[in-house]
Amino acid sequence: MNASTAAKPVPGPREMMPAPARPDTRERLLAFAFASSDLLVEVDENGLITFAAGAFPSRYGLAPAEAVGTAVERLVAPEDRAAMQAGLAHLALKGRLRPVALRLADRQQSVCAFAGLAIGNADCQRFCLTFGPLAAPLPETGVRASDAEGFGRIAEARLRDAVAAGRPAQLALLEVEGLAEVSVMLGRESREALLDRISSTIADAAPAGTQSELGGGRWALLHGGEANVETICRAVEALLRERAPASSAPRVTGTELRLAAPGFSTLQQVRALRLALDRFAAAGRAGLAAAGFAKGFSSFLGTLAGQAESLRSRLQRRGFRLAFQPVVTLSDRRPHHFEALVRPQSGTGAAETPQSFVTLVEAAGLSAELDLAVTKLASDSILATRSTAVAVNVSGVSIQDPSFRTSLEQALDAAPELRGRLLFELTETAEIDDLSAARAGIDSLRERGFPVCLDDFGAGAASLRYLKQFAVDYVKIDRIYVRGAETHPRDRELLAQMADLCRAVGARVIAEQIETEAQAAIAVELGIEFGQGNLFGKPGHLPGLVGR
Ligand code: C2E
Ligand code: MG
Ligand code: MG
């Protein structure tokens, strides 16, 4: 090697690039150079878009600059937002995300390959994300609109989007009377084929909407106002007439609820939607009417204030009891602690489920009252046992509320013997918009010696953000991944990534709703420490209660 070549090294890629106008432009160009993508974005550590380029006008009707400052999850279909968060979590941990398949939130729900690269430094982390053409088909996931729970979550996300964008949102609810009789006449295969035909007839009425069979001859369709429920009912009736003798042709009835009601908070609207779906799935039109939806969605919301007083007095009179479900250490299956779950007293309300009771209380703005009343009753139960520990659910709505925090802190300071035996599960994190208030609430509980668990991790789009913002002792991974992991490789991979991420931030991991030995085995294989679910014990009495 002669002296001149040794003195002049071959320029590397950095040296060959033109000097950037701003120092970070080069990093962006390098990061984006690795993919020929449809959409390119840079996001900050809170998932907010700081730079956007590509096909925004054709996909979303937006100039790229208009996307800056918005949450990146809005680019993705609600069905895949949790998967996107898991991808972002992986990216934050490993620095690079290889392409995974996701559906975009454009009209066609186009499937794309989502990939990313972490840039920046530990103080200021940023991510370059690309959405490009997909090489392989989309792997199956358990997070789908095709079951009532999955549909409910997606419908809530769509309603939030519609409220934020000022767009209409409507819920068409259909009920087929006499379907059971027709089904009896058909064999199993033709019965399933018929249900599929009904589902696709409903879906065809609003191709950009989301529909689901709710069971019991009931269907729901969430759309932007383009479908007409009466037309759908007649189309489904025509379909059924082809299959059933005229004498027993089923009747199809429909109800349309106009959502996105102006004048009500997003929280109230989302809870009212959850309640309507819960009641319709359980008892059809009669259930909707009994819950107060007979005159429509806005009218129901309007009557909530009137219900608040009786609900408040019900909470104060302890018109509920608690059931306790074990959370076990997976290695020996012994209870580590118990989760307190509210149970409305039987005889009150028409066929009320725990979920509908909690939802109604939240819709009426009484989350804090419920959480305080449950904490008090759970504390009394703990003190009536020798050593049992109990976790109570605290809603994201309550934890941001300063007067809730003051009342809770006073109660905890007056009962130091509860330290280490009372835990808090933060649920409904989707409702947290004041991150610093929520963080202060969590920190104050932990400083007092009360461990905190992040509940339903992975259910909401912003899970990663909460894991980064809140220091917690436990994370409970959402049931959808636990259930899906058994049958869907993508869910198993997501479950593994989430468990890794939780451990990386120092939290102990709980898998919820374990129902089968196969699910328990997967949790153990993935190194998950705790499990909860009917396999280990259903909600029931708290063991060791003195005098029981
Ligand atoms: P969560 O906190 O995720 O509670 C777990 C839910 O899963 C409970 O339903 C429990 O009964 C159910 N579960 C547990 N294991 C299994 C299983 O193996 N299979 C099945 N199918 N289900 C299982 P639950 O009691 O109906 O509560 C529903 C939700 O209501 C809770 O979800 C929580 O978000 C809320 N909630 C319940 N009690 C309270 C409370 O005291 N305060 C607040 N703020 N929310 C509560
Ligand atoms: Mg919970
Ligand atoms: Mg949970």
Side-chain angles (χ1 to χ4, degrees), residues 153 339 341 393 425-427 454-457 476-479 512-513 532:
R153 291 183 181 193
E339 178 177 5
L341 294 162
N393 289 284
E425 281 190 19
L426 189 60
T427 85
L454 202 52
D455 201 0
D456 305 322
F457 184 71
K476 204 183 255 187
I477 300 183
D478 189 64
R479 48 189 161 266
E512 70 175 6
Q513 287 205 7
Q532 178 182 13

Side-chain angles (χ1 to χ4, degrees), residues 125-144:
Q125 214 177 17
R126 283 169 303 146
F127 306 104
C128 289
L129 307 176
T130 63
F131 299 83
L134 188 72
L138 183 71
E140 279 253 315
T141 169
V143 186
R144 292 174 291 189

Side-chain angles (χ1 to χ4, degrees), residues 301-318:
L301 281 164
T303 61
L304 268 182
Q307 294 187 51
E309 265 326 299
S310 74
L311 272 172
R312 183 176 283 123
S313 86
R314 204 171 147 192
L315 292 175
Q316 282 161 359
R317 282 186 287 106
R318 284 200 179 163

